[in-house]
Amino acid sequence: MKINVEIDEEIKAIEVLIRNHEWNEEVQELMERLKERKRPYFVGRKEEMQHVFRAEAIICLFTDQDSIMVRTKQGTFEMKERLYELERDLPGNQFVRLSKSVIANLDELSRFEASFNGTLCVYFRSGEKEYVSRHYVQRIKKAFQWKRKGL
């Protein structure tokens, strides 16, 4: 992939041009990445205190009974949004869904362990682990391919 950046004082708004010999999956994924919204801050609650943190501080998000929780290096906090809403607002090149109930920060994963039934066990740098359901294994592989490409 070739990337060019052109700075021109006459241009008033950012313009992105993607050129390829065909419309394919890579072009589609680039389009989706460019359209992603990135939310600068998230707010979690612990008892009566509201804690503000950036997406980069998130280790993972998970469901705990009827609550959505976020684990950061500063602790675990309750979120008021639904998991799918948070997934939409997180940078897609940094976060991946591991199961219906867990979203992980790719930068916080340290290793994988395959199991006999087709699932994966992922270990976080913090020492915690989560299981990846078979349905999401391909998404994780794809996310790491994109991460390697630097997108």
Side-chain angles (χ1 to χ4, degrees):
M1 180 183 307
K2 182 175 149 183
I3 299 174
N4 294 316
V5 177
E6 181 181 311
I7 306 299
D8 184 344
E9 293 177 7
E10 300 295 317
I11 296 175
K12 301 296 180 207
I14 294 175
E15 177 183 320
V16 177
L17 171 65
I18 299 172
R19 291 185 181 168
N20 199 22
H21 64 281
E22 67 178 354
W23 184 275
N24 59 20
E25 186 177 328
E26 189 173 15
V27 172
Q28 180 65 37
E29 288 182 24
L30 281 168
M31 291 292 294
E32 289 170 10
R33 302 254 180 205
L34 289 169
K35 290 178 186 176
E36 283 180 355
R37 294 184 325 167
K38 185 177 177 192
R39 192 166 138 187
Y41 296 100
F42 293 84
V43 178
R45 174 185 221 102
K46 191 171 203 175
E47 297 167 7
E48 296 303 314
M49 297 287 287
Q50 302 280 342
H51 297 265
V52 179
F53 45 87
R54 292 187 158 291
E56 298 82 36
I58 297 172
I59 296 171
C60 69
L61 298 118
F62 60 96
T63 58
D64 183 20
Q65 296 171 355
D66 291 334
S67 299
I68 304 302
M69 307 299 289
V70 60
R71 187 175 296 128
T72 70
K73 293 174 184 168
Q74 290 74 37
T76 302
F77 308 100
E78 185 174 356
M79 304 296 287
K80 66 178 180 181
E81 298 96 334
R82 299 210 172 272
L83 201 57
Y84 73 87
E85 294 171 327
L86 292 165
E87 181 179 31
R88 182 192 63 216
D89 291 345
L90 290 165
N93 63 340
Q94 188 178 358
F95 289 86
V96 66
R97 193 177 273 267
L98 302 181
S99 65
K100 285 184 178 181
S101 60
V102 180
I103 298 171
N105 183 340
L106 292 169
D107 294 334
E108 293 295 327
L109 300 180
S110 65
R111 62 187 164 102
F112 298 93
E113 188 176 284
S115 64
F116 292 109
N117 63 359
T119 62
L120 285 176
C121 180
V122 295
Y123 291 86
F124 292 88
R125 296 183 195 287
S126 62
E128 295 149 339
K129 66 181 180 179
E130 289 286 345
Y131 290 93
V132 180
S133 60
R134 283 184 286 180
H135 179 75
Y136 293 96
V137 170
Q138 286 302 319
R139 289 185 191 186
I140 292 172
K141 288 180 181 179
K142 193 174 191 179
F144 274 104
Q145 287 174 348
W146 276 93
K147 200 80 166 150
R148 236 186 354 260
K149 289 179 184 178
L151 298 173

